[in-house]
Amino acid sequence: MAIRKIIRMGHPVLRKEGKKVPIKNIKSPEIVSLIKDMHETMKSSDGIGLAAPQIGESLQLAIIEIPEDSPRYPGTKKSDLLIIFNPKVTILDKKNQGYWEGCLSLPGLRGYVERPRKIRVDFLNENGEEVSLKLEGFLSTVFQHEIDHLNGKLYVDRMKDPKKFSYTEEYDKYHSDEGENFSE
Ligand code: ZN
């Protein structure tokens, strides 16, 4: 296991569509060890999500784990480690919700992004089983942020108002009462 370097905006891999992971490869030693590296890397950055392209692996693989009693996100429940291969998002409610998002590949920055509030995500888990989840609120935004990474997108692509783009320090000072936030 190893903590891997998280690549930052400007690195071309973040702009590439990740390759689908064939179901027969999901339990291969390479993928199992990649998931371990991703989990360690995410925890070492206090993250709640990480996509494989963020450590330079252009694959359709992301992980999400909401820690217990996260003081940053009151009201969210602890989740198991969710391992997500080849996901597909279906929008169930076009009504948007906005969060000030942060991303491990854009350290020190925050931007206000609106996304559909209710989605269904279909994906394969670490056992190659098909999973379908209906998500709303916080988790809907977290999943969409991670899945964007698998398609070469960053949250800046989805921002509508450049005035709502800020360094974290200034965000904390001047914008933290302007709605909810989420930092990968
Ligand atoms: Zn991100």
Side-chain angles (χ1 to χ4, degrees), residues 116-134:
R117 67 182 188 99
K118 210 167 172 188
I119 57 167
R120 192 184 72 227
V121 186
D122 296 285
F123 59 96
L124 297 174
N125 69 10
E126 68 275 23
N127 298 314
E129 296 155 345
E130 285 176 28
V131 179
S132 181
L133 294 178
K134 279 185 186 164

Side-chain angles (χ1 to χ4, degrees), residues 54 103-104 145 149 184:
Q54 291 181 280
C103 178
L104 293 170
H145 179 114
H149 279 302
E184 179 188 69

Side-chain angles (χ1 to χ4, degrees), residues 52-68:
Q54 291 181 280
I55 57 166
E57 303 283 351
S58 193
L59 295 171
Q60 296 272 323
L61 162 63
I63 62 173
I64 291 173
E65 185 178 41
I66 314 291
E68 199 161 13

